[in-house]
Coordinates of all heavy atoms in Angstrom, one line a residue:
D1473 N -13.4 -39.2 6.7 CA -12.2 -39.5 6.0 C -12.1 -38.6 4.9 O -12.9 -38.4 4.2 CB -12.0 -41.0 5.7 CG -13.0 -41.4 4.8 OD1 -14.2 -40.7 4.6 OD2 -12.8 -42.3 4.0
A1474 N -10.9 -38.1 4.7 CA -10.6 -37.1 3.6 C -10.2 -37.9 2.2 O -9.5 -38.9 2.4 CB -9.5 -36.1 3.9
P1475 N -10.7 -37.4 1.2 CA -10.3 -38.3 0.0 C -8.8 -37.9 -0.3 O -8.3 -36.9 0.0 CB -11.2 -37.7 -1.1 CG -11.6 -36.3 -0.6 CD -11.6 -36.4 0.9
Q1476 N -8.2 -38.9 -0.9 CA -6.8 -38.7 -1.2 C -6.7 -38.0 -2.4 O -7.3 -38.3 -3.5 CB -6.1 -40.2 -1.4 CG -6.1 -41.0 -0.2 CD -5.3 -40.3 1.0 OE1 -4.1 -39.8 0.6 NE2 -5.8 -40.4 2.1
L1477 N -5.9 -36.8 -2.4 CA -5.7 -35.9 -3.5 C -4.3 -36.2 -4.0 O -3.3 -36.4 -3.4 CB -5.9 -34.6 -3.0 CG -7.1 -34.2 -2.4 CD1 -7.0 -32.7 -1.8 CD2 -8.2 -34.3 -3.4
G1478 N -4.3 -36.2 -5.5 CA -3.0 -36.2 -6.1 C -2.3 -34.8 -6.1 O -3.1 -33.9 -5.7
A1479 N -1.2 -34.7 -6.5 CA -0.4 -33.5 -6.5 C -1.2 -32.4 -7.5 O -1.2 -31.3 -7.3 CB 1.0 -33.7 -6.9
A1480 N -1.6 -33.1 -8.7 CA -2.4 -32.1 -9.7 C -3.6 -31.5 -9.0 O -3.9 -30.4 -9.2 CB -2.7 -32.9 -10.9
D1481 N -4.4 -32.3 -8.2 CA -5.5 -32.0 -7.6 C -5.3 -30.9 -6.6 O -6.0 -29.9 -6.4 CB -6.3 -33.1 -6.8 CG -6.8 -34.0 -7.9 OD1 -7.2 -33.6 -9.0 OD2 -7.2 -35.2 -7.6
V1482 N -4.2 -31.0 -5.7 CA -3.8 -30.1 -4.8 C -3.4 -28.8 -5.4 O -3.8 -27.7 -5.0 CB -2.8 -30.7 -3.9 CG1 -2.2 -29.6 -2.9 CG2 -3.2 -31.8 -3.0
T1483 N -2.7 -28.9 -6.5 CA -2.3 -27.6 -7.2 C -3.4 -26.9 -7.7 O -3.5 -25.7 -7.7 CB -1.3 -28.1 -8.3 OG1 -0.1 -28.7 -7.8 CG2 -0.9 -26.8 -9.1
A1484 N -4.4 -27.7 -8.3 CA -5.6 -27.0 -8.9 C -6.4 -26.3 -7.8 O -7.0 -25.2 -7.9 CB -6.4 -28.0 -9.7
L1485 N -6.5 -27.0 -6.6 CA -7.3 -26.5 -5.4 C -6.6 -25.3 -4.8 O -7.3 -24.4 -4.5 CB -7.5 -27.7 -4.5 CG -8.4 -27.4 -3.3 CD1 -9.8 -27.1 -3.8 CD2 -8.3 -28.6 -2.3
V1486 N -5.3 -25.3 -4.8 CA -4.6 -24.2 -4.2 C -4.7 -23.0 -5.1 O -4.9 -21.9 -4.7 CB -3.1 -24.6 -3.9 CG1 -2.2 -23.4 -3.7 CG2 -3.0 -25.5 -2.7
E1487 N -4.6 -23.2 -6.5 CA -4.7 -22.1 -7.3 C -6.1 -21.6 -7.3 O -6.3 -20.4 -7.4 CB -4.3 -22.5 -8.8 CG -2.9 -22.8 -9.0 CD -2.1 -21.6 -8.7 OE1 -2.4 -20.4 -9.1 OE2 -1.1 -21.8 -8.1
L1488 N -7.1 -22.4 -7.1 CA -8.4 -21.9 -7.0 C -8.7 -21.1 -5.8 O -9.2 -20.1 -5.8 CB -9.4 -23.2 -7.0 CG -10.9 -22.8 -6.7 CD1 -11.4 -21.9 -7.8 CD2 -11.7 -24.0 -6.6
C1489 N -8.1 -21.6 -4.7 CA -8.2 -20.8 -3.4 C -7.3 -19.5 -3.3 O -7.6 -18.7 -2.5 CB -7.8 -21.8 -2.2 SG -8.9 -23.1 -1.9
K1490 N -6.3 -19.5 -4.3 CA -5.6 -18.2 -4.4 C -6.4 -17.2 -5.3 O -6.3 -16.0 -5.1 CB -4.2 -18.4 -5.1 CG -3.3 -19.0 -4.2 CD -2.0 -19.2 -5.0 CE -0.9 -19.9 -4.1 NZ 0.3 -20.1 -4.9
R1491 N -7.1 -17.7 -6.3 CA -7.8 -16.9 -7.3 C -9.1 -16.4 -6.7 O -9.4 -15.1 -6.8 CB -8.1 -17.8 -8.5 CG -8.9 -16.8 -9.6 CD -8.9 -17.7 -10.8 NE -9.7 -18.9 -10.7 CZ -10.7 -19.3 -11.4 NH1 -11.1 -18.5 -12.4 NH2 -11.4 -20.4 -11.3
W1492 N -9.7 -17.1 -5.9 CA -11.1 -16.6 -5.3 C -11.1 -15.4 -4.5 O -11.7 -14.3 -4.8 CB -11.8 -17.7 -4.6 CG -13.1 -17.3 -4.2 CD1 -14.3 -17.5 -5.0 CD2 -13.6 -16.7 -3.0 NE1 -15.3 -17.0 -4.4 CE2 -15.0 -16.4 -3.2 CE3 -12.9 -16.3 -1.8 CZ2 -15.7 -15.9 -2.2 CZ3 -13.6 -15.6 -0.9 CH2 -15.0 -15.4 -1.0
P1493 N -10.1 -15.3 -3.5 CA -10.1 -14.0 -2.8 C -9.7 -12.8 -3.6 O -10.3 -11.6 -3.4 CB -9.0 -14.2 -1.7 CG -8.9 -15.8 -1.7 CD -9.2 -16.3 -3.0

Side-chain angles (χ1 to χ4, degrees):
D1473 58 337
Q1476 295 299 316
L1477 301 172
D1481 290 334
V1482 169
T1483 302
L1485 190 59
V1486 165
E1487 288 305 314
L1488 174 62
C1489 290
K1490 285 180 181 178
R1491 183 172 58 126
W1492 187 84

